[in-house]
Amino acid sequence: MDDAIMQSSSSTCSYVDKDHSRSILHIDLDCFYAQVEMVKNPKLRSLPLGIQQKNIVVTSNYEARNYGIQKCMLVTDALKLCPNLKLLNGEDLHEYRAASNKIFELLLCWKCPVEKLGMDENFIDVTKLVLDKVKTDNHTLVGHLYNKPSTDCPCGCHSRLTVASQIANEIREKIYSDLGFTTCAGVAHNKLLAKLICPLHKPNNQTTIFPEHAVEFMSTLQSVRSIPSIGLKTTDTLISHKIITVSDLQQVSLDVLKKIFSSDMAVRLKSLSLGEDTTPVKQSGKPQSIGLEDSFKTVSVKSEVEDKFSALLQRLLVLVREDGRIPVSLRVTLRKRDAKRLSSHRESRQCQISPSIFTIASGTLTITDAGQHKLMSIIMRLFNKLIDLSKPFHLTLVGLAFTKFQERMTGRSSIVNYLMNDISVQSVLNLQNDCDTSATSMDYSAASPSSSTTTDLSDGEVEPSPKKPKKVTWIAKRRCLSKEEVASPSKLKVSELRLNSKELEKVSELRLNSRDRSLTPRASPAKDVLSDADTMKDVAEGGHCDDCPSYVDKEVFNSLPDEMQQELKAMWKNPSSSEVARSSSRMTNKSKPNTILKYFVPHK
Ligand code: DGT
Ligand code: MG
């Protein structure tokens, strides 16, 4: 890199001035799909085992890795390296997803925020737990330590991270004893370092890094792309300025970066290169969307497209049944190949769907043949909007996703869910998939080759892109590149709404009917069941809820009538004002004041 754009990294602030108060763990399952198979069938443990999806070995056990088999190797290449390789088909993700959910559930037992990242990785913020334990006894670090500590940091982070390493060990032991899986863990004062240090001693081990070694550790990373949230686009831009390694990024001056990127982005890149990261561990909830896509060489006949969609729908319905929420919006995606221009691009359309397509039988979400028929006809209507059938077309991918959900009406939780953000909807795949658009949030999934590459960055999204980056769960059937995020139970903050249970139940009963009508955005009154993606965008781009508690979904809040917004704001400001709401349930209809409840009454 040019000397002219370099500056000494010694000018960076001393680590002692930074905040090291948190204790974060990153836990990653060893050879995840292969382990699930080995736990199911222990005889496989002694064999070199590869998990195959299409013609690719997506992962292999460590026995097979001894032969040089790497993730995402072609099956033919893997067999050349290890002719005895035992191959199992891993295209059905059902059991991997189930194992992933069990691990997540187990991690919740520590009562700390857990953020799921992909299928086999989780962050846990154990700061509070550490503070409880750090005062007792002497503590010995468990596992490896990245470099020897220099002098003790005055803030006490060495002791805290030492305790965190013990907790990491406890958790790993519990995962092993309860579920049979071995894991690796990274222990650090932030997510970035915890994730990056985690694989240092694989498999079945853990590594801790103290803050004073952050800069030095980061400088060992060969490519800027190794940093989570630095995506392909940013990497390309950096490389075009001869900033290739993390060490290059550490040394380039902020002024130079600001000439290349926005000011926020430049600062963010600089901090990341120094191992600094303040992003919180966000408690994971259910995914915002559940989608599947299938890629193929070319399909140019409508009936074939219909067959593809029908097959996708069958698989998608299995996932939705497992999830348990009722879908209320469906998106169809196509990738069109332009034969003349030798390029391809994606287009999507989505529409609301009636919750009545689904039914709940014995507590399980079900769909009748008639319901499936209805969904197929909606899918083909969206398809017809995307394709001009009077002209030839060539598709190389079809995708289906349920993009919005209603929680099942379970009394108290319903209204809360309605207003709540899809709390920390786990990022599986950020469609923009690069930190270029967001200098403040960190998409760790971009760091994972599997998840980041499910987005075809060369494809333009024709669907209006929402201001908020959309996060979608794609179980991609494309290349070797899918990674899936799995639903996990949302935590409900019932108390903060301060409505009594009867009112909540009343609201719940009414919500199903009122959601599509009373609560449609003001800008777009009652819609036909089938409406365009633009309708969704109106909702998605609202943003006037500065006073809302963090758990409130701003989109939903902004689509409420003004009076209702005011009432909710007042309630949040002064919880005792919720007495108004409380008393309202005791009043007769005649005397009912203007309260939140009236807005949930279905239109006649
Ligand atoms: P590790 O962590 O190095 O011991 O090995 P794994 O297998 O746990 O690898 P990891 O953590 O990157 O990914 C977890 C699982 O996700 C892995 O078992 C298989 C799947 N996976 C990883 N990369 C890809 C990919 O590029 N495409 C597909 N379809 N699946 C992938
Ligand atoms: Mg893993």
Side-chain angles (χ1 to χ4, degrees), residues 96-143:
Y96 309 145
R97 214 179 309 123
S100 173
N101 281 342
K102 278 188 192 158
I103 293 156
F104 179 78
E105 303 276 322
L106 189 63
L107 294 177
L108 293 177
C109 298
W110 271 263
K111 310 246 178 285
C112 297
V114 183
E115 180 177 341
K116 203 169 197 331
L117 187 68
M119 266 224 243
D120 79 331
E121 297 175 45
N122 289 278
F123 285 112
I124 315 177
D125 183 337
V126 292
T127 306
K128 284 204 183 117
L129 215 53
V130 165
L131 291 178
D132 290 343
K133 295 193 173 190
V134 76
K135 287 172 201 141
T136 59
D137 304 334
N138 281 339
H139 298 281
T140 317
L141 189 128
V142 183

Side-chain angles (χ1 to χ4, degrees), residues 35-45 86 88:
Q35 263 210 93
V36 173
E37 301 295 346
M38 293 189 298
V39 166
K40 200 169 66 175
N41 177 6
K43 283 189 188 144
L44 294 170
R45 285 189 191 283
K86 166 89 181 159
L88 290 181

Side-chain angles (χ1 to χ4, degrees), residues 526-539:
K527 288 263 181 301
D528 180 1
V529 169
L530 192 69
S531 65
D532 290 344
D534 312 43
T535 318
M536 302 296 183
K537 192 177 164 237
D538 288 344
V539 187

Side-chain angles (χ1 to χ4, degrees), residues 104-105 108 114 283-288 323 325 405 407 410 413 416-418 420-426 486-494 551:
F104 179 78
E105 303 276 322
L108 293 177
V114 183
Q283 178 65 53
S284 291
K286 286 189 173 181
Q288 210 165 22
D323 179 275
R325 288 170 297 170
F405 299 89
E407 284 294 340
T410 49
S413 65
V416 183
N417 280 339
Y418 190 87
M420 209 155 77
N421 271 319
D422 299 77
I423 49 166
S424 21
V425 166
Q426 183 57 54
V486 181
S488 50
S490 298
K491 279 240 152 50
L492 303 172
K493 299 192 179 178
V494 178
Y551 60 85

